[in-house]
């Protein structure tokens, strides 16, 4: 009953908030995870679009759709080795496109 008797805090939308209000404070160095995730998805989509047609198709089937190499070989009428090779080429190209500043040491 005590909770019912308490009147809820009423805030006016017309009156300006004080300068110390938490909603006006801006944390400049705080990372926005939603924004970072959106940027990563855009970069990933663009990198996938840059892949050659065969590599892109096998990359989508294996990494996105979850098909095994045997199933991809049956669907595309190619060998399992070809499926594995094209996937490897696609992954290498994706690394190159997504992380151009990194050099891969061999």
């Amino acid at each position: 009953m005590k909770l019912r008797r308490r009147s809820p805090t009423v805030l006016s939308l017309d009156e300006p908030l004080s300068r110390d209000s938490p909603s006006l404070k801006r944390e400049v160095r705080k990372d926005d995870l939603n924004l970072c995730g959106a940027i990563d998805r855009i970069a990933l989509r663009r990198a996938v679009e840059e892949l050659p047609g065969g590599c892109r198709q096998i990359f989508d089937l294996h990494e996105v759709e979850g098909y095994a190499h045997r199933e991809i070989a049956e669907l595309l009428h190619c060998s399992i080795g070809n499926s594995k090779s094209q996937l490897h080429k696609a992954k290498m190209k994706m690394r190159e496109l997504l992380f151009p500043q990194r050099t891969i040491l061999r």
Side-chain angles (χ1 to χ4, degrees):
M1 294 308 289
K2 285 182 180 181
L3 294 175
R4 288 185 180 180
R5 281 188 229 144
R6 290 183 188 174
S7 62
T9 307
V10 178
L11 297 173
S12 171
L13 296 176
D14 296 327
E15 293 179 25
L17 297 172
S18 67
R19 292 185 66 73
D20 297 329
S21 174
S23 63
L24 289 180
K25 290 183 181 178
R26 185 172 184 168
E27 296 180 27
V28 178
R29 296 183 183 190
K30 183 97 173 171
D31 288 335
D32 183 357
L33 296 178
N34 289 329
L35 180 61
C36 291
I39 291 170
D40 290 343
R41 284 190 298 277
I42 291 169
L44 183 62
R45 186 172 358 114
R46 287 181 179 168
V48 170
E49 289 172 359
E50 290 288 321
L51 293 174
C55 290
R56 183 182 332 119
Q57 188 176 20
I58 290 176
F59 182 84
D60 283 338
L61 288 171
H62 189 272
E63 297 297 323
V64 179
E65 301 293 328
Y67 284 96
H69 287 291
R70 180 186 48 77
E71 296 169 319
I72 294 170
E74 290 173 6
L75 286 171
L76 301 180
H77 306 290
C78 66
S79 68
I80 295 173
N82 184 34
S83 173
K84 290 179 179 181
S85 173
Q86 291 295 316
L87 180 64
H88 177 72
K89 288 178 186 177
K91 287 182 177 182
M92 295 301 290
K93 183 70 173 173
M94 293 284 287
R95 285 186 194 120
E96 180 184 314
L97 292 169
L98 293 172
F99 306 106
Q101 68 278 7
R102 292 186 185 177
T103 56
I104 299 173
L105 302 174
R106 294 179 188 218

